[in-house]
Structure formats: C-alpha cells, structure tokens
Amino acid sequence: MGATPPLSPLAPAAFPDLPSIGGVSFATTSAGVRYKGRTDVMLVTLAPGTAIAGAFTRSATRSAAVLDCQDKIGGDPSKGAAIIVNSGNANAFTGRLGTESVAAVTGAVAERLGVPVARVFSSSTGVIGEPLPHQRIIDSIDTLKGALSHDGIGDAARAIMTTDTFPKGASETVMINGQAVHIAGIAKGSGMIAPDMATMLVYIFTDAAIDQEILQSTVSALNRTTFNCITVDSDTSTSDTLLVAATGASGIRVTENNIGFMEGLRRVMLDLAHQVVRDGEGATKFVEISVSGAASDAEAHVHAKSIANSPLIKTAIAGEDPNWGRVVMAVGKSGARADRDTLSIRFGDMVVAKDGWVSPEYDEDRAAAYMKKQDIEIHVDLGLGGGTATVWTCDLTHGYIDINADYRS
Amino acid sequence: MGATPPLSPLAPAAFPDLPSIGGVSFATTSAGVRYKGRTDVMLVTLAPGTAIAGAFTRSATRSAAVLDCQDKIGGDPSKGAAIIVNSGNANAFTGRLGTESVAAVTGAVAERLGVPVARVFSSSTGVIGEPLPHQRIIDSIDTLKGALSHDGIGDAARAIMTTDTFPKGASETVMINGQAVHIAGIAKGSGMIAPDMATMLVYIFTDAAIDQEILQSTVSALNRTTFNCITVDSDTSTSDTLLVAATGASGIRVTENNIGFMEGLRRVMLDLAHQVVRDGEGATKFVEISVSGAASDAEAHVHAKSIANSPLIKTAIAGEDPNWGRVVMAVGKSGARADRDTLSIRFGDMVVAKDGWVSPEYDEDRAAAYMKKQDIEIHVDLGLGGGTATVWTCDLTHGYIDINADYRS
C-alpha cells in the first residue's frame, strides 16, 4: 500500500445520507490487521428473523471466507446473525490456514454475540497469500460489541475500503401498500478487482420482511444486470461478495415479484455498481455501453463486454478519440454473431457508423467534442434480432498503470 | 499515425539475412496511399505451380481483402500467382466500396502480370473505415512490375509496416533426403494482437514442392501453436492474414507429415510470432507463459490466455513485481478447471507457490531480482491432468497508453 491515490475525478460530491434500517447495527474499529491509523474491521449485527441472500465470485480460486459464506446462505433465520469484515488482508490463497482463520473469527463472533456460528458471515479484503492475523480481529470483538449503533453505516463504508478513493453508499425508500420500506447499502471496490488490493464487497440492508428464497432469487436476478455488468479491467477477484439482509423490522411483507421493491433494490445495487466503476483505478471517464439488435440478450452481453474490456477502446476513450473503428473490431472479435453490413454505432446521439460504413452524417469535430465529456455513451445495434444488454466501464489511463505497476511495499 | 514510436527495447539487433527463394520475386514502391516519404506497397510474384495456403482472422467484421483471400485459397496452381499488400489503409469496414477496391486492385494486377485474378491475393493494413484510394495502388503496378527482384524480401518487410518499430523476418534451411529446402518469411504487427491471429500480416515462402492440401493442413496445424498463441492486448484485428507459398523451385517434394519440413516451418512461424510480441506496443518485457497439469490442452490454453491477457498481471510485470497472487486470480477467473489446493506457480525456476499457498522456499528479494530480466517465464501447474499450453505476451506499460490514447491525426 503506497501513497493514497488522489480522489477519483468521477467521485460523487459527498457520501449520501443513508437511513438507519431497523434491526441492523454497525460498529467499526482499528484492529491493526495491516493498516495503521484507520479503521479496518466492521461488525454488523442483524435481528432474529433476518433473511440473508448472497452472490459471490465464481472464481475457481475463491477465498476461504467466500466458501464459508456460500455454505451458510439459506440457513435458519430465526436467531440473530452477524457480518464481520476486515480490510488489509484478503485471507485468499492461504491454504488450510485460511479456513482455520475463518472458523476462528466467525466462531469468536458467534460466542461473544450469542448467535449461531452458522449465521456469522465474514469477508476479508486486502493482500493475498499472507496468513490473516486473525487474533487481532478476535481481540477487537468486545470493543466492536460495545460500539454497536444503528447509525454507523457511513463509518462501516470507510472501514472496508482498500484502494478505494471514496466510500460508497446508496439508499432508496419504497412505498408498499402506502407504507415505507427502506433499503441502504455500502460497497468497496476500485479495480474490478485486484486480489492484492481491490475486491468488491457489497452489503445491503432492508427493513422489509421477505422470505429467504424470494430474497435470494431476487438478488440473483438483479445481480445479473447490475454488478455482473460492470468491469474496470476484466479481472475477477477471489473474494467478491454481495450480501443482502432483510430484517423485517418495518413489519411490511414483500411477496414474490413485488415490482416496487425489486426496482428499489435494483436502483441501490446499480448505484453502488456505478460507484465502483467511478472509483475504477485511474478512471477519468464513466462509460455506458449499450447493445441492441443482437441475436439474443446473452449475445448482446458478450458484445458489450468485448467492447468494455477492449484495451484499445479504453485507451481511445482516455485519449478522447472517437475511434469507432475499434468498436467494429471489438464486435468482430467477441465470438457472438454480427454482420458487418447491418452494424450501426452511436456515440451519444451521434450516428457514427451504419450499414457497414461510416455514417454520411458523421462529423469528426462534433464527435471529438463529445468525447471530452466525463460520461460517455456508446451504442451498438447489430441489426440482427431483439437482444439487448448494457454494461458500464471506465477508461484505461496512465493512472491505472501507476497504481498497478507499483511494486508492493 | 503521429510521431514514430522509438525502437522497441526487445527488437533484434538487425534484420536477418534471408535466402532468396526460387520462384519468388519482390518489388516495393511509394504509392502515397497514406504515408509520405516511405514505401507502402509490396508486390510478390510466384512461379506457375506454386501452392498457397492461408490462415485468417475469425473476426465477424473481417475486411474485404480477407474475405477475397479466403475465397481464393485452394484454387488451380498451374498458372502464376501474385500477392499485393498496401499499408496506410486497412480497407476495413468500408462497405460495398471495400469489395470494389479489392476487385479493382486484384483485377489490375492480374491484367498487368498476366496471371488469373483468382490467383491474386491482396491485403491492406492501416486505418479502418476510410475508403481505400485504390487508384494510387493501380497506378503503381507498372513501376512495381519493372522493379521485381529475387532479393527484395527485406524491402518488402519494411513496406508493410504500420506502427511496427522494426521489420520482421525469419528463415530456416531444412535438409530433405540430403537436399536443402529453404523457408523465408516476413511479418508485420505490433498492436491489436490476440490469439485468433494478431493484427498481423505474414507472408512465408518456400522452394519446397508440396501439394496445396498438405500445405494447408500443415499451416492450419502449426498456426494453432504459433500465431494463435501470442497476445499483446487481447484485441483481434479485422485483417489478420497468413499466406504460405510453396513454389517447388527446389525440385524437392515434401510429403505429408514430413517432420523436418514441419519443424522448419514451425520455427519460422514461431520466430515471426515472437517478433510481433517483441514489437508489442509499449512492450519492455517478453513473457512466456506455460501451463501444465490442466484437465486438457484446450483448458491449459484457456488458463494461459487468461494470464497473458490480464491487465493486472501485465502491469505487475511492467513494474517488475513478482505478484504471483494475480496469477492465482487469473487462473481462478479463466473458466477452465482449477483446484486452489493443487496449484503451483514458478517464475523462471523459482517455485513461488504450491499446494494452495506461498512456497516455503519463496524468497521475495530473489523473485524481485528475477523480474528485472527482459525475458520472463511464468509456469503454472494445475495438478489436475496432462494438459499443456504455452503462450507469449508482453507487459502493459505507459508506452501502450501513449500510443493508443493519442488522438488520430
């Protein structure tokens, strides 16, 4: 961890005001896991009856904490639950010791808080391959327990940061049968996701009452069009974790396919996902890539990711170059179906290419002026079918190289 | 195309001495397609009876010249043949005009040289989306015809360069039944390089006599472990073309599965492929990634490409950081089978990780010293089966950003 990188130019003006969520308490402390002079452990307690759903990295080398969380999803919600997260050390690729550390930390939290160990979820983020000094976390549990507060969500967002340049939070209030349900979440992540520094962790809380199975299917579905549609550098962490906890404290029950709740939860998830991209390592531009006219939604997603992950496109955007030829290249290489002669491309509302060639209305000066904006939209229509997808990414700059080519020290 | 980038630090000391190949003549000229003050068109003539095999980009948006070459492979070799290549304009994504330009250029070459148009192959490389000023090429054909020479292969290598910082050539002499057969080739390519053939044009000539079908199956097989195993930036061009022409001028016949000839051709192909990586945009390190112990060769290739294309690994190499945790990440995200606890990683001959954790013999100082070398070897063993693969790539540096974020001018 070298010098703190400067605040992302894409950062929001301030951390948002987040509502407290009934049944959820937060505490943070400085356990000295790796960092000095900042908080690095967050504890969340959840009231009895809280349903917890999750989504996790699909990496074949995922960390011990991720494997443990996956095992625990769907357990009996009747007793209380807890989430404990440390930054500074990812406890990833640490072999048998990693599994022992997770058992030690979750076991200690269960004992001190009086909740079943099967309901204690943990995450770790930071350097990889070094044993987690888990005793430091265990020694901090009593301090954390004494500091629990309904209003600590902002501090929690700060405690889980690694190379993030700003804490990330979002909330929504949804009216269900005339009554308010609250959703609030926090996230960390700034490279899509470097195992040694940056990993995406997301924790979302709601006072809605919702069955675990319904919450899980909702979270899984929404994850596909939110967190699974962002990319900073195409790299996937060993530790990515999303947990969504519904305490039921509002007394308002959400049944299957409640559009209002789903939309509210989706907005919180998408807001947090966009904030992760806006804190992308070295990012100076936020880029939305939407694809239509593909043979299927799945193929649209393949094209969109091919464009979003192309180093040549990401460097062109950094250079404010309306280089639509590279978009043609990325569509061509994606492996999904495309026909050169039905392809059209828009930058913002400017048609730059259509019917297999540069558009007659293309104006290089206007396109160059558009590329100077901070938020860029690239639209591709394949002209083949009804498949659509949208993904979000950032540009590839010297800042990315500076951050990631720095020797660890 | 702004200022010429400086010579790659990985460039060979000099262009090699290449043998002339019986039945092959070269000419180059300055047609002013786009560049000023340098050659930009190359013409090759091939004696009657020459067999021609090819391999091409699989991009769905491939250029008109690529489509035309693919159509012509396998045609009657009894008459002469020709290859005409221009740099400066790729004639890609130019719609119907692109097809017309290919027909005009190949038709004019056929007429002036007296060879069937079905035996005139063309390639174009340079900017995308601008109509090819093909009359400038056609107007240069008489000059080219008058300049044909057996010894012009080095000049030909220079005429096809775009952002290349050095011309690329390689040769081998193979003894078959006590008689010498010669193979010589040239290539261009430095960015937009990914397996599935690089942004790359390659022309290889031999005086061996070989049936077209045998030559084609040999070239297709060798392509899988040479040009399809290099990557600079994971981006795949619309124009990649490899043509291999066997004139038979030596009078020595090569039959199916002639190991000596195949090995010679493979060395020329691999040498040219490595030179393309060594001229990778911004490259300061040449990196060999070998994978063993995978469930299959195909899965080994998936892992090797995932490592070779990871921006986090490529920036770590640029920063001379022995960041093996990022290798674990890239294996985990690849989608091919892996088991964290049987994985081992070597940098050169140093075991850095094994059995799911950092190796007890790992020495950070020694690893850091190794990373200062110009040629780096990363070995990964999955511990699962007998699958192996090797790919070659370069690091990701500020130079890559400089070259590709520059506004086109």
Side-chain angles (χ1 to χ4, degrees):
Chain A
M1 305 284 156
T4 308
L7 179 66
S8 168
L10 307 175
F15 189 79
D17 270 333
L18 301 182
S20 45
I21 304 290
V24 188
S25 297
F26 299 89
T28 60
T29 192
S30 305
V33 172
R34 183 183 180 90
Y35 307 127
K36 307 289 174 208
R38 54 158 282 190
T39 57
D40 59 358
V41 179
M42 158 192 107
L43 175 68
V44 180
T45 61
L46 299 158
T50 296
I52 299 174
F56 303 92
T57 180
R58 283 178 284 192
S59 169
T61 55
R62 68 196 81 167
S63 69
V66 168
L67 293 166
D68 185 63
C69 283
Q70 288 181 299
D71 278 350
K72 291 175 174 173
I73 291 290
D76 172 14
S78 62
K79 305 268 190 348
I83 302 170
I84 187 155
V85 181
N86 74 273
S87 55
N89 183 312
N91 189 29
F93 210 65
T94 46
R96 186 178 46 78
L97 285 186
T99 309
E100 291 172 2
S101 287
V102 171
V105 169
T106 56
V109 169
E111 187 199 333
R112 310 282 170 91
L113 297 184
V115 297
V117 69
R119 296 297 282 166
V120 180
F121 297 83
S122 74
S123 306
S124 295
T125 177
V127 296
I128 188 173
E130 295 183 15
L132 180 67
H134 60 248
Q135 195 58 44
R136 294 179 201 169
I137 299 171
I138 292 170
D139 290 344
S140 74
I141 295 174
D142 287 336
T143 304
L144 287 162
K145 187 178 172 184
L148 284 163
S149 147
H150 289 305
D151 300 319
I153 193 167
D155 290 335
R158 285 174 192 90
I160 62 176
M161 288 167 63
T162 53
T163 55
D164 302 62
T165 75
F166 60 88
K168 298 166 188 69
S171 71
E172 287 285 335
T173 299
V174 178
M175 300 307 290
I176 296 181
N177 300 329
Q179 293 181 281
V181 162
H182 302 95
I183 307 170
I186 57 175
K188 70 131 303 200
S190 70
M192 174 73 166
I193 289 335
D196 105 351
M197 305 255 176
T199 286
M200 192 177 69
L201 301 179
V202 185
Y203 307 96
I204 297 174
F205 310 96
T206 175
D207 52 13
I210 180 164
D211 286 346
Q212 201 278 331
E213 293 76 10
I214 296 172
L215 184 62
Q216 182 63 54
S217 63
T218 302
V219 166
S220 296
L222 296 177
N223 190 49
R224 281 198 289 277
T225 57
T226 56
F227 294 109
N228 275 354
C229 288
I230 61 171
T231 176
V232 167
D233 54 14
S234 81
D235 279 335
T236 303
S237 145
T238 53
S239 307
D240 297 334
T241 296
L242 160 67
L243 291 173
V244 181
T247 64
S250 68
I252 300 162
R253 181 147 292 276
V254 169
T255 50
E256 200 157 14
N257 300 322
N258 182 302
I259 299 297
F261 179 79
M262 285 183 71
E263 269 305 304
L265 181 55
R266 182 173 193 277
R267 282 195 296 275
V268 169
M269 289 169 71
L270 196 58
D271 189 340
L272 293 172
H274 286 181
Q275 289 187 52
V276 170
V277 172
R278 287 183 182 279
D279 207 6
E281 290 169 341
T284 68
K285 307 273 189 187
F286 179 81
V287 187
E288 176 174 292
I289 293 162
S290 56
V291 171
S292 59
S296 67
D297 286 354
E299 292 206 5
H301 187 76
V302 169
H303 283 302
K305 287 287 283 283
S306 179
I307 297 165
N309 283 328
S310 162
L312 287 170
I313 291 174
K314 293 159 81 78
T315 49
I317 292 169
E320 303 186 334
D321 175 0
N323 196 323
W324 57 269
R326 294 181 181 176
V327 178
V328 176
M329 176 280 300
V331 167
K333 75 164 180 165
S334 78
R337 277 166 282 184
D339 180 337
R340 191 190 60 191
D341 296 334
T342 60
L343 189 62
S344 64
I345 301 168
R346 280 190 292 128
F347 285 5
D349 59 3
M350 278 173 293
V351 178
V352 297
K354 67 175 180 184
D355 303 334
W357 201 24
V358 64
S359 164
E361 68 207 68
Y362 179 67
D363 176 337
E364 179 94 2
D365 290 342
R366 213 179 131 224
Y370 177 76
M371 298 305 290
K372 295 193 182 304
K373 294 178 62 165
Q374 199 168 62
D375 285 21
I376 302 287
E377 293 173 24
I378 297 176
H379 308 263
V380 171
D381 190 281
L382 279 302
L384 298 177
T388 63
T390 303
V391 306
W392 296 272
T393 190
C394 57
D395 53 346
L396 174 57
T397 69
H398 286 295
Y400 182 86
I401 308 278
D402 284 337
I403 293 166
N404 288 302
D406 261 6
Y407 190 85
R408 292 160 301 159
S409 58
Chain B
M1 304 283 152
T4 308
L7 179 67
S8 168
L10 307 175
F15 189 79
D17 270 333
L18 301 182
S20 45
I21 304 291
V24 188
S25 297
F26 299 89
T28 60
T29 191
S30 305
V33 172
R34 182 185 181 90
Y35 307 126
K36 307 288 174 212
R38 55 158 280 188
T39 56
D40 58 358
V41 180
M42 156 192 109
L43 176 68
V44 180
T45 60
L46 298 158
T50 296
I52 299 174
F56 303 92
T57 180
R58 282 178 284 193
S59 169
T61 55
R62 68 197 83 168
S63 69
V66 168
L67 293 166
D68 185 62
C69 282
Q70 288 181 298
D71 278 349
K72 291 173 174 174
I73 291 290
D76 173 14
S78 61
K79 305 269 189 346
I83 302 170
I84 186 155
V85 180
N86 74 272
S87 55
N89 183 314
N91 189 28
F93 210 65
T94 45
R96 186 178 45 77
L97 284 186
T99 310
E100 291 171 3
S101 287
V102 171
V105 169
T106 57
V109 168
E111 186 199 334
R112 310 284 169 90
L113 298 184
V115 297
V117 69
R119 297 296 283 168
V120 180
F121 298 83
S122 75
S123 306
S124 295
T125 177
V127 296
I128 286 179
E130 294 183 16
L132 181 68
H134 60 248
Q135 194 58 45
R136 295 180 199 167
I137 299 170
I138 291 170
D139 290 346
S140 75
I141 294 174
D142 286 336
T143 304
L144 288 162
K145 187 178 172 185
L148 283 164
S149 148
H150 289 305
D151 300 319
I153 192 168
D155 291 335
R158 285 174 192 89
I160 62 175
M161 288 167 62
T162 53
T163 55
D164 302 60
T165 75
F166 60 88
K168 298 165 188 70
S171 71
E172 288 285 334
T173 299
V174 177
M175 300 305 291
I176 296 181
N177 299 329
Q179 293 181 283
V181 162
H182 302 95
I183 306 170
I186 57 174
K188 70 129 303 204
S190 67
M192 213 186 271
I193 305 284
D196 243 4
M197 301 230 11
T199 300
M200 200 176 60
L201 300 179
V202 185
Y203 306 97
I204 297 174
F205 310 95
T206 175
D207 53 12
I210 179 165
D211 287 345
Q212 200 278 331
E213 293 77 9
I214 296 172
L215 185 62
Q216 182 64 53
S217 63
T218 302
V219 167
S220 296
L222 296 178
N223 189 48
R224 281 199 288 278
T225 57
T226 55
F227 295 110
N228 274 353
C229 289
I230 62 171
T231 177
V232 166
D233 54 13
S234 80
D235 280 334
T236 303
S237 138
T238 54
S239 307
D240 300 332
T241 296
L242 160 66
L243 291 174
V244 181
T247 65
S250 68
I252 301 163
R253 180 147 293 275
V254 170
T255 51
E256 199 157 16
N257 299 322
N258 183 303
I259 299 298
F261 179 79
M262 285 184 70
E263 269 305 303
L265 181 55
R266 181 173 193 277
R267 282 194 297 273
V268 169
M269 290 169 72
L270 197 59
D271 189 341
L272 292 172
H274 286 181
Q275 288 188 52
V276 170
V277 172
R278 288 183 183 278
D279 207 6
E281 289 168 342
T284 68
K285 307 273 187 186
F286 179 81
V287 187
E288 176 174 291
I289 294 162
S290 56
V291 172
S292 60
S296 68
D297 286 354
E299 293 207 4
H301 188 76
V302 169
H303 282 303
K305 274 179 60 178
S306 179
I307 297 165
N309 283 327
S310 162
L312 287 171
I313 292 173
K314 294 158 81 78
T315 48
I317 293 168
E320 303 185 332
D321 176 1
N323 196 323
W324 56 270
R326 294 183 182 176
V327 178
V328 176
M329 176 281 299
V331 167
K333 76 164 180 167
S334 79
R337 276 166 285 184
D339 180 337
R340 190 191 61 193
D341 297 334
T342 61
L343 188 62
S344 63
I345 300 168
R346 279 191 292 127
F347 285 4
D349 59 3
M350 278 173 293
V351 178
V352 297
K354 68 175 181 183
D355 303 335
W357 201 22
V358 63
S359 164
E361 70 208 66
Y362 178 67
D363 176 337
E364 179 94 1
D365 289 342
R366 214 180 130 222
Y370 177 75
M371 298 305 289
K372 294 193 182 306
K373 295 179 63 166
Q374 200 168 60
D375 285 21
I376 303 288
E377 293 173 24
I378 297 176
H379 309 263
V380 172
D381 190 280
L382 279 302
L384 298 177
T388 63
T390 303
V391 305
W392 297 271
T393 190
C394 57
D395 53 346
L396 173 58
T397 69
H398 286 295
Y400 182 85
I401 309 279
D402 284 335
I403 293 166
N404 288 302
D406 262 6
Y407 190 85
R408 291 161 300 160
S409 58

